[in-house]
Amino acid sequence: MNTAPPSPSRNTSGPRPRHPFQTEDAKLEAIAAKVLAGERLSFEDGVALYRSPDILAVGWLANWVREKLHGDIAYFNVNRHINPTNVCVAACRLCAFGRKKDMPGAYTMALEEAWQNAASGYTEAVTEFHIVGGLHPDLPFAYFLDLVRGLKERFPQVHVKAFTMVEVAYLAKRAKLTLRETLQQMKDAGVDSMPGGGAEIFADRVRHIICDHKIDGGEWLETARIAHELGLRSNATMLYGHVENDEDRVDHMLRLRALQDETGGFQTFIPLAFHPDNTALEHLPRTTGMIDLQQIAIGRLMLDNFAHVKAYWQMVTPKIAQISLRFGADDIDGTVVEEKIYHDAGASTPQGLRRADLIRLITEAGRIPVERDTLYRAVTRTEDSFTVAV
Ligand code: V47
């Protein structure tokens, strides 16, 4: 049997860690032999990685893979998040963002307001709009198509990364369209790619507890498959640090890996640390720095067919995101400008970072910052405009 994983684009020019791999964990020795030989890791390997007491050695291995793929390059982008509404029919225990429509704090942007929102914030020319929101019971599908068309008219050079698989499935149901028709209409309106949200943890047992009202894991994957077939690339997230166990996390990653083998449509894996404040799971403790680093590293090792692993700085803090660049991550996401989902759930990170802040974080981690567009093409800037290498 060929156990070599299909390889994402490789950059072999980068430096290698100078020290040989060392650990006193015998199980990790065997896994290291597989990683260094380019062999695919199994479900049992994944669980053993979580159980290993030697997180630094796990990080060393992930860094080795990361440097094999990307050398010293670390990516960031200049983006803006837009959350058109927080009104949501679902009442997921994991979420502090969604509101019922008559609740205090519920909002829905008029289209004009959403377009103005897109233009506001930092003056730095953004290359990406990241658009996600609640499952609004009344907004018609046309609202979302018009939102995207209007953005494209006003900002034709900006990539629109919009709507999670969960939003797509909900809109399809309400518009009485198939998933394929819904995605095709979104693409025709100007959606260029899709964010990775809503994946949470695929295991039914966990989903029933944290997001009972969302589509199940199989439906999330099926929606992603159709999006990829239509030529829309997407990201994939995994929410960790709540009621899931090691096996659930490994199962989640292996299901992503299996779909990626088929479609090749995922760009980036993004582990998201759960923030419990103001959620129905408020009693749970927050993740700690070592757990965040361990998760980044294991993601890099298990998802051998994903080109990129992102340490989303909003989620894990800029400091942990920076250290993650030595634990398997090659991307720290972007300027964001205005973040609502984690700040409603108690995130203490800033709302946005400037381009110069991201460059400093990367440079001081000993990596080479590369501004990318959503599709990981290098961006070259002049004072207030940009060009993308094609
Ligand atoms: O799906 C919701 C998570 C996700 C909480 O694709 C929470 O580039 C922690 O997917 N604590 C949405 N997490 C955000 C997302 C994302 C973010 C950045 C970049 C990209 C990308 C995607 O946020 C949701 C859910 O998993 N989330 N509530 C919470 N209390």
Side-chain angles (χ1 to χ4, degrees):
M1 191 178 73
N2 176 16
T3 51
S7 50
S9 65
R10 295 198 184 265
N11 173 351
T12 47
S13 61
R16 296 282 169 279
R18 283 174 291 278
H19 309 291
F21 177 76
Q22 281 180 341
T23 184
E24 288 177 7
D25 177 353
K27 279 197 179 147
L28 203 49
E29 283 282 6
I31 293 174
K34 278 177 143 181
V35 171
L36 299 176
E39 284 178 33
R40 176 159 272 192
L41 300 184
S42 66
F43 181 87
E44 292 71 26
D45 293 331
V47 174
L49 285 169
Y50 280 112
R51 307 260 161 96
S52 175
D54 198 347
I55 295 180
L56 290 180
V58 173
W60 187 100
L61 278 178
N63 188 55
W64 186 87
V65 174
R66 180 245 185 269
E67 291 193 355
K68 192 165 84 159
L69 291 170
H70 304 290
D72 263 339
I73 285 172
Y75 295 98
F76 69 98
N77 74 343
V78 176
N79 62 350
R80 197 199 203 293
H81 282 209
I82 304 171
N83 305 120
T85 180
N86 65 353
V87 173
C88 193
V89 291
C92 299
R93 287 193 185 89
L94 69 87
C95 183
F97 171 70
R99 303 273 187 285
K100 294 284 168 276
K101 66 179 175 185
D102 46 5
M103 269 169 75
Y107 74 86
T108 299
M109 293 180 189
L111 286 175
E112 198 57 52
E113 204 184 331
W115 297 323
Q116 274 168 20
N117 183 252
S120 66
Y122 295 152
T123 52
E124 297 169 308
V126 299
T127 63
E128 171 190 283
F129 292 132
H130 169 120
I131 307 172
V132 297
L135 308 179
H136 197 297
D138 306 324
L139 282 180
F141 186 34
Y143 167 94
F144 297 92
L145 299 179
D146 288 345
L147 170 68
V148 174
R149 281 191 204 105
L151 285 172
K152 281 289 179 192
E153 270 165 38
R154 288 162 179 78
F155 312 95
Q157 77 285 9
V158 180
H159 182 109
V160 174
K161 182 180 77 178
F163 311 128
T164 64
M165 306 307 159
V166 176
E167 290 167 273
V168 171
Y170 180 70
L171 288 169
K173 205 164 108 194
R174 290 206 43 238
K176 298 192 172 41
L177 295 170
T178 63
L179 289 170
R180 193 173 291 276
E181 288 162 346
T182 309
L183 285 159
Q184 186 64 56
Q185 289 193 31
M186 286 176 167
K187 188 177 179 208
D188 294 343
V191 169
D192 296 302
S193 72
M194 299 172 69
E200 322 308 2
I201 286 278
F202 292 139
D204 286 340
R205 180 188 61 79
V206 176
R207 259 182 131 72
H208 286 321
I209 301 170
I210 65 168
C211 57
D212 208 11
H213 307 94
K214 276 186 186 164
I215 53 173
D216 68 23
E219 289 166 314
W220 190 97
L221 288 161
E222 183 55 20
T223 312
R225 178 201 303 281
I226 297 169
H228 297 173
E229 282 169 6
L230 293 175
L232 287 166
R233 316 225 45 195
S234 79
N235 292 335
T237 56
M238 180 178 90
L239 187 72
Y240 66 95
H242 40 87
V243 298
E244 86 290 6
N245 60 28
D246 297 341
E247 285 82 357
D248 297 325
R249 282 183 232 128
V250 178
D251 169 70
H252 185 92
M253 288 186 281
L254 293 195
R255 289 175 75 177
L256 289 174
R257 191 171 79 180
L259 181 57
Q260 178 75 333
D261 276 344
E262 287 177 48
T263 68
F266 289 119
Q267 301 211 101
T268 312
F269 177 60
I270 314 164
L272 297 172
F274 178 56
H275 283 49
D277 293 6
N278 306 321
T279 74
L281 299 170
E282 206 164 25
H283 56 285
L284 294 175
R286 285 182 180 219
T287 64
T288 59
M290 279 315 250
I291 297 299
D292 294 334
L293 292 171
Q294 180 196 48
Q295 182 50 62
I296 291 282
I298 297 177
R300 182 60 283 172
L301 291 169
M302 296 307 295
L303 292 171
D304 53 33
N305 52 4
F306 275 58
H308 303 283
V309 173
K310 187 191 285 187
Y312 180 38
W313 67 263
Q314 285 273 6
M315 194 57 110
V316 291
T317 75
K319 289 180 182 179
I320 294 289
Q322 185 185 38
I323 301 168
S324 299
L325 295 174
R326 300 250 154 213
F327 275 74
D330 61 282
D331 189 340
I332 58 171
D333 202 78
T335 46
V336 179
V337 183
E338 191 180 7
E339 203 291 317
K340 296 195 202 314
I341 297 176
Y342 318 113
H343 286 84
D344 283 353
S348 56
T349 48
Q351 285 281 337
L353 283 179
R354 303 203 67 109
R355 194 172 173 276
D357 300 325
L358 295 167
I359 290 175
R360 180 165 164 240
L361 283 174
I362 293 172
T363 309
E364 290 186 2
R367 299 301 194 193
I368 300 165
V370 171
E371 182 182 342
R372 61 163 178 86
D373 72 351
T374 313
L375 302 174
Y376 287 84
R377 296 172 301 192
V379 170
T380 314
R381 276 185 185 269
T382 57
E383 191 75 353
D384 57 1
S385 68
F386 62 83
T387 52
V388 173
V390 279

